[in-house]
Amino acid sequence: MHSKRANTQLIKTEAKRLGFLSCGISKAEFLEKEAPRLESWLNKNMHGEMQYMENHFDKRLDPTKLVEDSKSVISLLLNYFPSETQKDPEAPKLSKYAFGTDYHFVIKDKLKNLMAFIQEEIGEVHGRAFVDSAPVLDKAWAAKSGLGWIGKHTNLLSQQVGSFYFIAELIVDLDLNYDTPITDHCGSCTACIDACPTDAIVDPYVVDGSKCISYFTIELKDNLPSTYKGKFDNWMFGCDVCQDVCPWNRFSKSHNEPLFNPHPELLDMTKKDWEEITQVVFGTIFKKSAVKRTKFSGLTRNIQFLKE
Ligand code: B12
Ligand code: SF4
Ligand code: SF4
């Protein structure tokens, strides 16, 4: 039987070995500060048609309601910042996070390994692994655990590693040593708010999801609203503008996860190639990619919208 401190150290060291950028831990408890903010966001319909955001309100705010007997939330960051970007400056743009294999698969595997390690090294620990899709406020937990602060663009960021990473967590019934939040370093900067092509950052620290290019190009199933014509800044899947302009991302270092490397032809595709993309090419370059989420029809809808 190791001490709580030793267990905490073992987990953090293994997380690093598995390739996570960093690991921070919080007590599993009700997120008091987030509750009224989430409620107001939903009441103002800032989730648009993302109906899944309305589900499991109580569980989303309290991991002990999501995972029985849970004691700790172990937050993990995985870098996706690529070393190269699309070559044709005129090509419709693809968000950096979607270049390679769907992060859900990549992270799930790493989380499984970390959970197996905990069970081997520490003993009978129960818990569940989460990445993105579950009713968990990923950013709030990572911030509570000191991995960064939530910026005015509402992404988690830090002075050391910026914001181009995914967040995942293990929620476990093991007592551990807890980390503390770090200071917000946004200061008087408003670069992200000023640069957002659709004015989706409606207040500092508040994104109206229903106005975000990422929502339109990935989540919206209907036709794209004609009022937004010409406002997408050439993004065909997701949008990186608020992160690209953030001064703290000047220090981003490339990831070293081979599965996040794009298909060799993807970055070479020209504007014309994208406009003429076929179902076969789509299937090849986006095999196992998160872009599959919009399907061929969604991506071509987006490309068409940028063209007209
Ligand atoms: C729904 C969702 C979206 C929606 C809504 C965006 C949003 N900001 O929530 C859409 C589709 C638009 C979206 C877009 C993107 N997303 Co997204 N998304 C999610 C998801 C599934 C849930 C987020 C959530 O709970 N939102 C609910 C609202 C209420 O939360 P919030 O916007 O953070 O709001 C908080 C603040 O407004 C704050 N607040 C409110 N009022 C006030 C007032 C003050 C004074 C303060 C301080 C705070 C404050 O409290 C709210 C509650 O915590 C998470 C995964 C997860 N399970 O957490 C990924 C996630 C947030 N997305 C992620 C990413 C990468 C993106 C994109 C960058 C993708 C892209 N390149 O296109 C963009 C970025 C857009 C942006 N600027 O936020 C990552 C973020 C990683 C990081 N470094 O932070 C996550 C965590 C996925 C993951 N597991 O890695 N996303
Ligand atoms: S992702 Fe793009 S559209 Fe969405 S808030 Fe950031 S800059 Fe605005
Ligand atoms: S661009 Fe400026 S205001 Fe926006 S998150 Fe980065 S530091 Fe904060």
Side-chain angles (χ1 to χ4, degrees), residues 41 44-48 50 154 198-203 206-212 215:
W41 193 79
K44 290 180 187 153
N45 270 317
M46 291 189 175
H47 57 306
M50 295 180 285
T154 78
T198 53
D199 296 323
I201 311 176
V202 289
D203 272 311
V206 182
V207 164
D208 182 341
S210 74
K211 291 184 175 163
C212 176
Y215 163 79

Side-chain angles (χ1 to χ4, degrees), residues 34 95 132 136 138-139 153-154 156 163 167 205 214 239-240:
E34 307 302 329
S95 181
D132 192 32
V136 180
D138 292 349
K139 298 179 284 183
H153 53 23
T154 78
L156 186 89
S163 65
I167 309 172
Y205 307 101
S214 188
C239 167
D240 289 338

Side-chain angles (χ1 to χ4, degrees), residues 17 61 145 244 289:
R17 203 192 59 80
L61 290 162
S145 299
D244 283 338
S289 155

Side-chain angles (χ1 to χ4, degrees), residues 73-180:
V73 179
I74 305 171
S75 290
L76 301 140
L77 307 183
L78 190 69
N79 186 9
Y80 64 77
F81 188 72
S83 53
E84 283 182 286
T85 48
Q86 291 168 274
K87 299 201 176 84
D88 179 0
E90 305 275 294
K93 291 182 275 187
L94 178 67
S95 181
K96 294 183 243 308
Y97 85 85
F99 280 10
T101 303
D102 189 334
Y103 61 102
H104 296 95
F105 305 131
V106 179
I107 298 180
K108 265 266 143 82
D109 273 354
K110 290 190 194 290
L111 291 177
K112 254 193 233 157
N113 288 339
L114 185 57
M115 193 66 204
F117 170 86
I118 294 174
Q119 285 162 340
E120 258 166 49
E121 292 296 319
I122 300 176
E124 216 188 296
V125 177
H126 301 103
R128 278 173 66 189
F130 297 96
V131 47
D132 192 32
S133 45
V136 180
L137 291 171
D138 292 349
K139 298 179 284 183
W141 287 107
K144 202 171 154 68
S145 299
L147 298 183
W149 74 95
I150 297 177
K152 292 182 190 172
H153 53 23
T154 78
N155 295 298
L156 186 89
L157 76 158
S158 75
Q159 290 166 292
Q160 294 75 29
V161 288
S163 65
F164 288 113
Y165 41 72
F166 301 111
I167 309 172
E169 51 283 308
L170 286 181
I171 302 184
V172 294
D173 65 352
L174 175 71
D175 248 328
L176 292 163
N177 280 354
Y178 301 129
D179 295 293
T180 48

Side-chain angles (χ1 to χ4, degrees), residues 203-273:
D203 272 311
Y205 307 101
V206 182
V207 164
D208 182 341
S210 74
K211 291 184 175 163
C212 176
I213 295 167
S214 188
Y215 163 79
F216 287 126
T217 55
I218 306 172
E219 303 279 340
L220 189 69
K221 303 289 169 263
D222 299 342
N223 289 335
L224 296 168
S226 55
T227 43
Y228 281 89
K229 261 228 146 36
K231 293 193 173 159
F232 277 14
D233 187 39
N234 214 19
W235 290 95
M236 65 171 164
F237 186 90
C239 167
D240 289 338
V241 172
C242 51
Q243 299 187 86
D244 283 338
V245 300
C246 178
W248 298 112
N249 274 332
R250 284 196 297 244
F251 309 108
S252 303
K253 290 193 192 77
S254 317
H255 67 76
N256 48 20
E257 172 54 67
L259 290 169
F260 286 159
N261 291 336
H263 183 278
E265 276 154 45
L266 193 149
L267 300 179
D268 292 333
M269 284 181 64
T270 62
K271 180 176 188 217
K272 188 160 176 284
D273 294 334

